[in-house]
Amino acid sequence: MIERLARRVRLMVARAVLNLVNDAGGLQLLQVSALADETRDDVERAQNYGLTSVPLPGATVVMVAVAGSRDHLVATAVDDPRYRPTGLNAGEVCIYTHEGDRVHLKNGRLIELTTQTLRVNADTLIEFNTEKVQINAPLVNTSGQLKTAGDITDTAGSNGRTVAGMRAQYNSHTHGGVQTGPGSSGTPNKGM
């Protein structure tokens, strides 16, 4: 009896290798390879609320045998050392994929996002409340209007003029040598 109890205690926590994931239901069901020649189907996977993932075959699984019964295994953790980012500092958090995408919450209140394409879908509004937004890109496209409550400054060259300043300059300029007919007038008296 004691030997049987000791065996159940030894087998309460096990390590396995992930074979397959069924993500169709409320709880994921895993197929894992545990002890030598032991393949288990329909191992429930407990995940933290608000976070979900579908791990790749070959990932490491930690399982608990509920009430010591190997007939009711629950996966409590799945990790994949092949893809897990390393070198984080104490206190940092990183969400990642096997393709290299990352949301890295770094010390110093810095969040660094790494991906190939970032798409934000918001039905009503995206709002940034900050003192400054910097975009480091050779081209910025918009499919609609660009409206600003402040002014727009052109500092591509050395003029450093605002759009409002250029508009005032344009509105107040005159031409000399104006003649009726197909001819051209003289150059403006003020440059842009």
Side-chain angles (χ1 to χ4, degrees):
M1 171 96 171
I2 298 233
E3 179 57 34
R4 188 171 163 219
L5 180 61
R7 177 174 160 73
R8 287 184 81 169
V9 169
R10 279 195 311 272
L11 297 176
M12 282 184 72
V13 178
R15 187 177 186 158
V17 175
L18 179 67
N19 298 327
L20 299 169
V21 177
N22 179 346
D23 194 43
L27 279 177
Q28 281 183 351
L29 299 176
L30 309 181
Q31 182 194 71
V32 299
S33 297
L35 299 173
D37 299 325
E38 180 188 25
T39 299
R40 293 295 182 136
D41 293 316
D42 298 332
V43 174
E44 296 174 330
R45 179 180 178 211
Q47 297 186 61
N48 290 324
Y49 173 77
L51 295 173
T52 188
S53 65
V54 178
L56 296 168
T60 301
V61 179
V62 176
M63 301 179 302
V64 175
V66 177
S69 171
R70 297 286 287 185
D71 293 328
H72 189 185
L73 294 170
V74 175
T76 58
V78 179
D79 196 5
D80 200 327
R82 298 172 298 180
Y83 305 109
R84 188 185 70 78
T86 58
L88 275 66
N89 295 312
E92 295 186 341
V93 176
C94 187
I95 301 170
Y96 63 94
T97 69
H98 69 286
E99 295 181 318
D101 302 306
R102 293 182 181 187
V103 178
H104 189 168
L105 285 68
K106 293 185 167 190
N107 292 330
R109 300 191 68 195
L110 171 65
I111 299 174
E112 187 174 273
L113 185 122
T114 304
T115 189
Q116 192 170 42
T117 299
L118 174 64
R119 179 174 291 121
V120 178
N121 296 309
D123 289 337
T124 307
L125 176 71
I126 296 175
E127 183 174 319
F128 295 102
N129 297 306
T130 183
E131 291 185 25
K132 185 178 180 180
V133 174
Q134 181 167 328
I135 300 172
N136 299 319
L139 179 64
V140 177
N141 290 321
T142 176
S143 62
Q145 296 181 10
L146 176 64
K147 295 182 179 182
T148 175
D151 209 344
I152 299 173
T153 304
D154 171 15
T155 57
S158 59
N159 75 19
R161 291 189 180 158
T162 65
V163 172
M166 289 188 286
R167 186 181 314 108
Q169 185 84 0
Y170 174 80
N171 289 342
S172 67
H173 84 276
T174 60
H175 293 261
V178 177
Q179 301 172 4
T180 44
S184 299
S185 64
T187 57
N189 64 338
K190 297 178 184 175
M192 289 288 277

